[in-house]
Amino acid sequence: MAERRFDFDDVDRSDAEAIGEPGQRTFRMIFGAASDTVVLWLEKQQLQALGMAFEQMIAQLRAAGVAAARVSEVEPDPVGPTPVVNAEFHVGRLAVGFDEERSRITLFVH
């Protein structure tokens, strides 16, 4: 299988959704930048771990004085319907990191 790679410099859309009835739900994250959109299908535990990883990363960056001016505690605006999706992936592994050179939190998905 050929490897497909999507690099977004700045994500302008990030949504998490639970689809279906409790006990039989599937979970997805939608990420997009401009006209490029990808859907990541995750297990419930992966989505929970991703949320905790982002919270921990932001807390560490704030404590280090890196993110104080860039991260705010605001509710996102509604983003409307899901745009045309370029690709969908079932997630195996996730990693969260920080790119110091660009001052960006980075999500790696395999």
Side-chain angles (χ1 to χ4, degrees):
M1 174 186 269
E3 179 178 312
R4 293 180 66 190
R5 182 180 174 136
F6 287 83
D7 292 323
F8 296 117
D9 284 330
D10 291 313
V11 172
D12 57 22
R13 180 186 180 112
S14 173
D15 296 314
E17 296 180 327
I19 300 167
E21 297 297 318
Q24 297 188 349
R25 288 186 173 153
T26 56
F27 298 87
R28 71 179 182 175
M29 295 264 336
I30 302 167
F31 291 101
S35 62
D36 290 328
T37 304
V38 295
V39 171
L40 305 177
W41 293 95
L42 306 106
E43 297 295 326
K44 180 179 179 179
Q45 296 81 2
Q46 289 174 307
L47 186 58
Q48 289 171 327
L50 181 60
M52 289 182 355
F54 276 126
E55 286 177 4
Q56 290 173 352
M57 177 71 68
I58 291 169
Q60 290 171 353
L61 292 171
R62 281 194 173 132
V66 175
R70 296 191 57 135
V71 178
S72 60
E73 297 288 341
V74 296
E75 289 295 318
D77 293 329
V79 291
T82 303
V84 174
V85 174
N86 297 89
E88 295 188 37
F89 301 98
H90 288 273
V91 174
R93 292 180 295 164
L94 294 164
V96 177
F98 183 71
D99 181 347
E100 289 184 42
E101 205 173 279
R102 296 174 49 208
S103 295
R104 301 251 198 279
I105 294 176
T106 305
L107 176 63
F108 300 94
V109 180
H110 300 275

